[in-house]
Amino acid sequence: MLIRNPADIPPSEITSEQTFLNRRSVIRALGLGAAGSLLPVSGRADEAPVVEEPLTPESIVTGFNNFYEFGTNKGDPARYAHRLTTSPWKVRISGEAENTGEFDFEDVVRGFTPEERIYRFRCVEAWSMVVPWLGIPLSQVLTRFKPTSQAKFVEFTTLYRPAEMPGQKAIFSSIDWPYVEGLRMDEAMHPLTLMATGVYGKALPNQNGAPWRLVVPWKYGFKSIKSIVGIRFSRSQPVNTWHRIAPGEYGFYANVNPDVSHPRWSQARERRLPSTLAEPNWRATQPFNGYAAEVAQLYTSMDLARYY
Ligand code: MTE
């Protein structure tokens, strides 16, 4: 099983960094970062709920990663992802939509201005961060392709390129590449659902899923699929990678829920990074990762039973 029991992640991997950035210094950092970047920060962050918690330091956001295409240790993505070529980048749109085919990434995002969204990010491994993403609401991207009324789900696929992604070559890997994730259409169209193209005021580093990755802040982090090359509108529910590997442990919905334990560990608490042995920085996990009010209209009580 590749997603690890939090107790098995050594503190050296969790990081010893103690620096917390206060809001003002972060905003300054974002301003500086945006000035030197091709990704302007628009002033529309007020549409998303404000997270009044310290941001996780950039060194942790970009240095402590899950991206098994580059290896299973938290430092592997930052170490190896520079090998990934992200330009040119093609995106294949298929399925139940009027506007399908293969597109250049630049054309897919042309005309959209990335917004800054500060979201809590909760991994199923019981650690969490607060991340200043830059991104485009997924609804705007999907609308561009004119999905038909038959489109009930969206399936996303990560790049498959073993020559640049050493984890895809690993013979011990139990993952059936490429990595696949999916959302229900109404989840995909929800205003909080983001296609991130940047973080901390800069273009997305490869280890975080360049050139774009999904961010669904009320779901466990494995839903946030990286380096997307395929978007398919479908009538039936996609089978996501982790569900395929361990159906008893990971489901399709994966909504953050402190009351439903993972079969091997509790989800009631999380370690907010940075976390050390001396100061694990535990905090209570919130239903829907603190976004319950925003997403309440998406779920009936039937759905709520299906967290995994
Ligand atoms: N996407 C791909 N293609 N491959 C992966 O291994 N890991 C997922 C998700 N997206 C993963 C992925 C998991 S388990 C998590 S917690 C987040 O990416 C981590 O995102 P981050 O490294 O930017 O914090």
Side-chain angles (χ1 to χ4, degrees):
M1 200 40 242
L2 283 172
I3 285 189
R4 284 186 289 167
N5 183 325
D8 296 338
I9 303 175
S12 58
E13 275 192 36
I14 297 274
T15 189
S16 57
E17 181 151 357
Q18 290 299 319
T19 337
F20 279 98
L21 299 180
N22 68 35
R23 237 193 121 71
R24 187 173 300 160
S25 71
V26 162
I27 287 166
R28 216 182 303 127
L30 281 172
L32 284 173
S37 129
L38 294 173
L39 296 166
V41 182
S42 86
R44 298 179 58 196
D46 52 312
E47 287 178 12
V50 175
V51 177
E52 290 292 350
E53 295 163 40
L55 298 187
T56 302
E58 183 178 2
S59 59
I60 295 176
V61 173
T62 62
F64 179 93
N65 301 99
N66 276 336
F67 198 170
Y68 289 149
E69 283 83 342
F70 294 101
T72 55
N73 290 324
K74 303 299 181 205
D76 286 344
R79 199 169 299 130
Y80 301 120
H82 63 91
R83 297 180 187 174
L84 179 66
T85 319
T86 57
S87 179
W89 192 268
K90 304 277 186 190
V91 182
R92 175 165 291 282
I93 310 293
S94 61
E96 306 291 345
E98 288 175 28
N99 192 6
T100 57
E102 193 173 74
F103 299 86
D104 287 327
F105 172 67
E106 288 75 15
D107 293 333
V108 172
V109 296
R110 194 180 304 285
F112 297 135
T113 305
E115 305 170 20
E116 182 206 331
R117 296 279 182 95
I118 297 173
Y119 284 157
R120 282 178 291 273
F121 186 81
R122 171 57 159 86
C123 179
V124 76
E125 294 169 329
W127 51 261
S128 66
M129 305 188 190
V130 177
V131 183
W133 303 106
L134 291 175
I136 305 157
L138 177 62
S139 62
Q140 293 184 18
V141 177
L142 298 186
T143 304
R144 187 158 266 193
F145 302 108
K146 301 193 168 70
T148 70
S149 60
Q150 298 299 316
K152 304 292 184 227
F153 297 88
V154 200
E155 181 185 277
F156 304 89
T157 308
T158 291
L159 178 73
Y160 178 69
R161 193 182 287 159
E164 295 182 4
M165 297 173 133
Q168 292 179 334
K169 286 193 290 202
I171 43 168
F172 51 83
S173 170
S174 58
I175 296 181
D176 186 11
W177 306 106
Y179 195 98
V180 170
E181 259 305 338
L183 293 173
R184 224 167 54 186
M185 197 63 188
D186 57 348
E187 297 175 323
M189 299 301 282
H190 191 278
L192 289 189
T193 307
L194 202 67
M195 283 301 250
T197 53
V199 72
Y200 261 99
K202 299 166 204 150
L204 206 59
N206 287 358
Q207 61 268 31
N208 293 91
W212 66 341
R213 58 86 64 83
L214 190 62
V215 178
V216 195
W218 71 93
K219 293 180 180 281
Y220 290 118
F222 67 84
K223 298 297 289 182
S224 296
I225 179 172
K226 297 177 168 181
S227 302
I228 294 166
V229 293
I231 298 179
R232 189 172 67 87
F233 297 96
S234 72
R235 297 176 190 216
S236 54
Q237 185 173 305
V239 181
N240 49 311
T241 289
W242 283 106
H243 180 66
R244 187 190 297 274
I245 294 172
E249 302 196 0
Y250 310 102
F252 175 78
Y253 280 88
N255 291 322
V256 174
N257 185 353
D259 298 330
V260 176
S261 295
H262 182 278
R264 291 180 285 128
W265 60 83
S266 164
Q267 297 291 25
R269 300 190 303 163
E270 65 202 53
R271 284 180 297 175
R272 174 63 53 84
L273 304 187
S275 163
T276 62
L277 263 193
E279 285 186 61
N281 208 13
W282 286 107
R283 62 179 58 216
T285 290
Q286 304 177 68
F288 295 97
N289 202 23
Y291 300 99
E294 287 81 5
V295 301
Q297 75 277 15
L298 286 177
Y299 302 107
T300 64
S301 52
M302 255 272 281
D303 289 322
L304 289 180
R306 290 184 281 166
Y307 279 97
Y308 276 101

PDB file of all heavy atoms in Angstrom, residues 73-87:
ATOM      1  N   ASN A  73       8.961   8.813  -1.760  1.00  0.00           N
ATOM      2  CA  ASN A  73       9.382   9.634  -0.613  1.00  0.00           C
ATOM      3  C   ASN A  73       8.959  11.078  -0.835  1.00  0.00           C
ATOM      4  O   ASN A  73       8.903  11.553  -1.972  1.00  0.00           O
ATOM      5  CB  ASN A  73      10.892   9.559  -0.421  1.00  0.00           C
ATOM      6  CG  ASN A  73      11.312   8.184   0.065  1.00  0.00           C
ATOM      7  OD1 ASN A  73      10.602   7.543   0.851  1.00  0.00           O
ATOM      8  ND2 ASN A  73      12.438   7.698  -0.424  1.00  0.00           N
ATOM      9  N   LYS A  74       8.709  11.757   0.291  1.00  0.00           N
ATOM     10  CA  LYS A  74       8.177  13.122   0.191  1.00  0.00           C
ATOM     11  C   LYS A  74       9.130  14.079  -0.525  1.00  0.00           C
ATOM     12  O   LYS A  74       8.700  15.077  -1.091  1.00  0.00           O
ATOM     13  CB  LYS A  74       7.853  13.681   1.583  1.00  0.00           C
ATOM     14  CG  LYS A  74       6.867  12.843   2.382  1.00  0.00           C
ATOM     15  CD  LYS A  74       5.530  12.716   1.712  1.00  0.00           C
ATOM     16  CE  LYS A  74       4.577  11.884   2.556  1.00  0.00           C
ATOM     17  NZ  LYS A  74       3.526  11.237   1.767  1.00  0.00           N
ATOM     18  N   GLY A  75      10.432  13.774  -0.489  1.00  0.00           N
ATOM     19  CA  GLY A  75      11.398  14.651  -1.134  1.00  0.00           C
ATOM     20  C   GLY A  75      11.651  14.297  -2.601  1.00  0.00           C
ATOM     21  O   GLY A  75      12.294  15.071  -3.320  1.00  0.00           O
ATOM     22  N   ASP A  76      11.187  13.132  -3.035  1.00  0.00           N
ATOM     23  CA  ASP A  76      11.472  12.686  -4.413  1.00  0.00           C
ATOM     24  C   ASP A  76      10.942  13.639  -5.489  1.00  0.00           C
ATOM     25  O   ASP A  76      11.661  13.935  -6.451  1.00  0.00           O
ATOM     26  CB  ASP A  76      10.900  11.287  -4.656  1.00  0.00           C
ATOM     27  CG  ASP A  76      11.703  10.194  -3.962  1.00  0.00           C
ATOM     28  OD1 ASP A  76      12.855  10.465  -3.561  1.00  0.00           O
ATOM     29  OD2 ASP A  76      11.170   9.075  -3.819  1.00  0.00           O
ATOM     30  N   PRO A  77       9.692  14.124  -5.370  1.00  0.00           N
ATOM     31  CA  PRO A  77       9.198  15.007  -6.441  1.00  0.00           C
ATOM     32  C   PRO A  77      10.077  16.248  -6.615  1.00  0.00           C
ATOM     33  O   PRO A  77      10.458  16.586  -7.742  1.00  0.00           O
ATOM     34  CB  PRO A  77       7.778  15.350  -5.987  1.00  0.00           C
ATOM     35  CG  PRO A  77       7.364  14.165  -5.162  1.00  0.00           C
ATOM     36  CD  PRO A  77       8.615  13.767  -4.428  1.00  0.00           C
ATOM     37  N   ALA A  78      10.452  16.911  -5.506  1.00  0.00           N
ATOM     38  CA  ALA A  78      11.290  18.111  -5.637  1.00  0.00           C
ATOM     39  C   ALA A  78      12.659  17.752  -6.211  1.00  0.00           C
ATOM     40  O   ALA A  78      13.282  18.538  -6.914  1.00  0.00           O
ATOM     41  CB  ALA A  78      11.440  18.797  -4.282  1.00  0.00           C
ATOM     42  N   ARG A  79      13.119  16.543  -5.920  1.00  0.00           N
ATOM     43  CA  ARG A  79      14.440  16.115  -6.381  1.00  0.00           C
ATOM     44  C   ARG A  79      14.447  15.758  -7.866  1.00  0.00           C
ATOM     45  O   ARG A  79      15.399  16.043  -8.574  1.00  0.00           O
ATOM     46  CB  ARG A  79      14.889  14.904  -5.545  1.00  0.00           C
ATOM     47  CG  ARG A  79      16.375  14.633  -5.577  1.00  0.00           C
ATOM     48  CD  ARG A  79      16.768  13.591  -4.531  1.00  0.00           C
ATOM     49  NE  ARG A  79      16.453  14.016  -3.173  1.00  0.00           N
ATOM     50  CZ  ARG A  79      15.784  13.284  -2.270  1.00  0.00           C
ATOM     51  NH1 ARG A  79      15.357  12.073  -2.567  1.00  0.00           N
ATOM     52  NH2 ARG A  79      15.539  13.757  -1.070  1.00  0.00           N
ATOM     53  N   TYR A  80      13.387  15.138  -8.348  1.00  0.00           N
ATOM     54  CA  TYR A  80      13.426  14.579  -9.707  1.00  0.00           C
ATOM     55  C   TYR A  80      12.522  15.269 -10.730  1.00  0.00           C
ATOM     56  O   TYR A  80      12.657  15.027 -11.935  1.00  0.00           O
ATOM     57  CB  TYR A  80      13.053  13.087  -9.664  1.00  0.00           C
ATOM     58  CG  TYR A  80      13.976  12.274  -8.793  1.00  0.00           C
ATOM     59  CD1 TYR A  80      13.488  11.576  -7.691  1.00  0.00           C
ATOM     60  CD2 TYR A  80      15.349  12.227  -9.060  1.00  0.00           C
ATOM     61  CE1 TYR A  80      14.342  10.837  -6.879  1.00  0.00           C
ATOM     62  CE2 TYR A  80      16.207  11.491  -8.248  1.00  0.00           C
ATOM     63  CZ  TYR A  80      15.695  10.796  -7.157  1.00  0.00           C
ATOM     64  OH  TYR A  80      16.540  10.080  -6.360  1.00  0.00           O
ATOM     65  N   ALA A  81      11.588  16.106 -10.267  1.00  0.00           N
ATOM     66  CA  ALA A  81      10.587  16.611 -11.216  1.00  0.00           C
ATOM     67  C   ALA A  81      11.143  17.634 -12.201  1.00  0.00           C
ATOM     68  O   ALA A  81      10.490  17.951 -13.192  1.00  0.00           O
ATOM     69  CB  ALA A  81       9.380  17.192 -10.466  1.00  0.00           C
ATOM     70  N   HIS A  82      12.360  18.114 -11.958  1.00  0.00           N
ATOM     71  CA  HIS A  82      12.946  19.047 -12.933  1.00  0.00           C
ATOM     72  C   HIS A  82      13.144  18.355 -14.285  1.00  0.00           C
ATOM     73  O   HIS A  82      13.308  19.013 -15.305  1.00  0.00           O
ATOM     74  CB  HIS A  82      14.274  19.598 -12.409  1.00  0.00           C
ATOM     75  CG  HIS A  82      15.317  18.544 -12.210  1.00  0.00           C
ATOM     76  ND1 HIS A  82      16.207  18.195 -13.194  1.00  0.00           N
ATOM     77  CD2 HIS A  82      15.571  17.730 -11.154  1.00  0.00           C
ATOM     78  CE1 HIS A  82      16.988  17.213 -12.750  1.00  0.00           C
ATOM     79  NE2 HIS A  82      16.616  16.917 -11.509  1.00  0.00           N
ATOM     80  N   ARG A  83      13.119  17.023 -14.302  1.00  0.00           N
ATOM     81  CA  ARG A  83      13.285  16.295 -15.564  1.00  0.00           C
ATOM     82  C   ARG A  83      12.058  16.402 -16.460  1.00  0.00           C
ATOM     83  O   ARG A  83      12.117  16.060 -17.640  1.00  0.00           O
ATOM     84  CB  ARG A  83      13.482  14.801 -15.286  1.00  0.00           C
ATOM     85  CG  ARG A  83      14.722  14.483 -14.498  1.00  0.00           C
ATOM     86  CD  ARG A  83      14.787  12.980 -14.286  1.00  0.00           C
ATOM     87  NE  ARG A  83      15.886  12.633 -13.384  1.00  0.00           N
ATOM     88  CZ  ARG A  83      16.100  11.398 -12.945  1.00  0.00           C
ATOM     89  NH1 ARG A  83      15.312  10.411 -13.310  1.00  0.00           N
ATOM     90  NH2 ARG A  83      17.106  11.163 -12.141  1.00  0.00           N
ATOM     91  N   LEU A  84      10.959  16.817 -15.897  1.00  0.00           N
ATOM     92  CA  LEU A  84       9.704  16.838 -16.664  1.00  0.00           C
ATOM     93  C   LEU A  84       9.664  18.039 -17.611  1.00  0.00           C
ATOM     94  O   LEU A  84       9.887  19.172 -17.204  1.00  0.00           O
ATOM     95  CB  LEU A  84       8.524  16.907 -15.688  1.00  0.00           C
ATOM     96  CG  LEU A  84       7.128  16.963 -16.295  1.00  0.00           C
ATOM     97  CD1 LEU A  84       6.806  15.669 -17.033  1.00  0.00           C
ATOM     98  CD2 LEU A  84       6.084  17.202 -15.198  1.00  0.00           C
ATOM     99  N   THR A  85       9.369  17.760 -18.887  1.00  0.00           N
ATOM    100  CA  THR A  85       9.204  18.838 -19.866  1.00  0.00           C
ATOM    101  C   THR A  85       7.736  19.243 -19.883  1.00  0.00           C
ATOM    102  O   THR A  85       6.871  18.409 -20.161  1.00  0.00           O
ATOM    103  CB  THR A  85       9.564  18.331 -21.282  1.00  0.00           C
ATOM    104  OG1 THR A  85      10.716  17.505 -21.189  1.00  0.00           O
ATOM    105  CG2 THR A  85       9.789  19.469 -22.232  1.00  0.00           C
ATOM    106  N   THR A  86       7.462  20.495 -19.602  1.00  0.00           N
ATOM    107  CA  THR A  86       6.050  20.912 -19.535  1.00  0.00           C
ATOM    108  C   THR A  86       5.657  21.827 -20.701  1.00  0.00           C
ATOM    109  O   THR A  86       4.554  22.355 -20.722  1.00  0.00           O
ATOM    110  CB  THR A  86       5.757  21.631 -18.203  1.00  0.00           C
ATOM    111  OG1 THR A  86       6.637  22.744 -18.089  1.00  0.00           O
ATOM    112  CG2 THR A  86       5.961  20.696 -17.024  1.00  0.00           C
ATOM    113  N   SER A  87       6.568  22.020 -21.628  1.00  0.00           N
ATOM    114  CA  SER A  87       6.257  22.809 -22.819  1.00  0.00           C
ATOM    115  C   SER A  87       6.946  22.165 -24.019  1.00  0.00           C
ATOM    116  O   SER A  87       8.165  21.948 -23.968  1.00  0.00           O
ATOM    117  CB  SER A  87       6.752  24.239 -22.626  1.00  0.00           C
ATOM    118  OG  SER A  87       6.488  25.001 -23.772  1.00  0.00           O
TER     119      SER A  87
END
